[in-house]
Amino acid sequence: MPTPIPSRTQFVLEGIKHRILTGQLTPGQALVETELAAQFGVSKTPVREALKTLAGTGLVVMNQYKGVTVRMVDADMAREVYDVRLLLEPEALRRAVRRGASLAAARDALTRADAATDTAERSLANREFHRALYLPCGNPLLGRMLDEVRDQAALVSAVAWAASPSWEREAGEHREILRLALGGDADGAARALHAHIGSFVERAFPQAESEAQGEDGQA
């Protein structure tokens, strides 16, 4: 069983994560323990533990010379994260639909996303929407594997949205995915989700797609 995270560490962890995923802390920005401790009103210990956890999830990078920084987002990083999602997430949704799992949580998340008044609220609802699609797949390990890349995917989205907001298009794609899933079309929902995930990274990081095609041509 994983060791429970103390409440102060969890408080700092969620606070830093929120700032990163909403763009208040930008990729490459230094995270100084003493400054964060003062901002959150805690000692450096929970800050240090929170940063270690965030490094484990891929949101921050620890370097003995440069210290701790918010992870940079580039085409390679985006391709790696979204490649995992493309391989696993559509199959998880296919299984969830085939087993007749409830998708009420996905419907609720979509409603919250449509009603969101800022980017942070919309981003959180979108993350919950995707998780509600894959979590009831019937394979807890598959769900945990996708959970592992959730934060990194959210970081990619935050950077992409800052450069070119595309949430309205994605909201329409979400509605179509859910419509197919609720209608029991497992394969159709999976295809729509695959297209949704793939098209996002192609739009946001077109160089990632061109590099991938180049590699395929060399194989």
Side-chain angles (χ1 to χ4, degrees):
M1 293 292 291
T3 303
I5 299 177
S7 58
R8 287 188 179 181
T9 300
Q10 187 67 42
F11 167 69
V12 174
L13 173 65
E14 294 301 327
I16 297 174
K17 180 191 294 188
H18 180 78
R19 293 183 185 187
I20 292 174
L21 297 182
T22 55
Q24 296 176 58
L25 294 171
T26 57
Q29 184 171 341
L31 302 176
V32 182
E33 288 183 9
T34 52
E35 294 178 358
L36 290 170
Q39 291 169 16
F40 287 103
V42 298
S43 68
K44 290 197 298 182
T45 299
V47 173
R48 186 176 302 117
E49 293 304 313
L51 291 176
K52 287 180 181 178
T53 300
L54 290 169
T57 64
L59 281 184
V60 307
V61 176
M62 289 183 158
N63 184 292
Q64 66 179 106
Y65 302 109
K66 297 181 180 179
V68 184
T69 57
V70 179
R71 182 173 182 177
M72 295 294 295
V73 174
D74 57 19
D76 288 339
M77 182 267 199
R79 188 178 66 189
E80 289 173 5
V81 172
Y82 275 71
D83 189 37
V84 172
R85 293 187 65 194
L86 284 169
L87 288 169
L88 300 181
E89 203 167 320
E91 177 59 25
L93 174 58
R94 180 183 286 109
R95 295 186 180 195
V97 175
R98 283 180 177 170
R99 66 195 298 262
S102 171
L103 296 175
R107 186 191 294 112
D108 292 344
L110 194 57
T111 299
R112 290 197 300 275
D114 287 341
T117 57
D118 59 41
T119 300
E121 188 179 354
R122 185 176 300 113
S123 177
L124 179 60
N126 283 344
R127 293 177 71 208
E128 292 173 353
F129 171 76
H130 278 273
R131 190 168 192 261
L133 293 180
Y134 68 69
L135 206 59
C137 67
N139 185 330
L141 177 58
L142 179 55
R144 289 196 297 271
M145 291 173 70
L146 283 163
D147 275 350
E148 284 289 317
V149 298
R150 280 183 82 217
D151 288 344
Q152 294 178 60
L155 179 58
V156 172
S157 296
V159 171
W161 279 7
S164 179
S166 58
W167 58 267
E168 288 184 348
R169 172 174 176 169
E170 288 145 34
E173 293 172 354
H174 283 174
R175 284 189 285 271
E176 176 62 10
I177 292 166
L178 185 59
R179 183 189 69 80
L180 292 167
L182 291 174
D185 186 352
D187 291 335
R191 285 194 298 269
L193 179 58
H194 189 283
H196 166 69
I197 295 170
S199 64
F200 176 80
V201 76
E202 288 172 19
R203 292 194 305 272
F205 298 91
Q207 62 269 44
E209 179 66 14
S210 61
E211 288 169 8
Q213 292 174 349
E215 290 175 5
D216 290 343
Q218 295 171 6

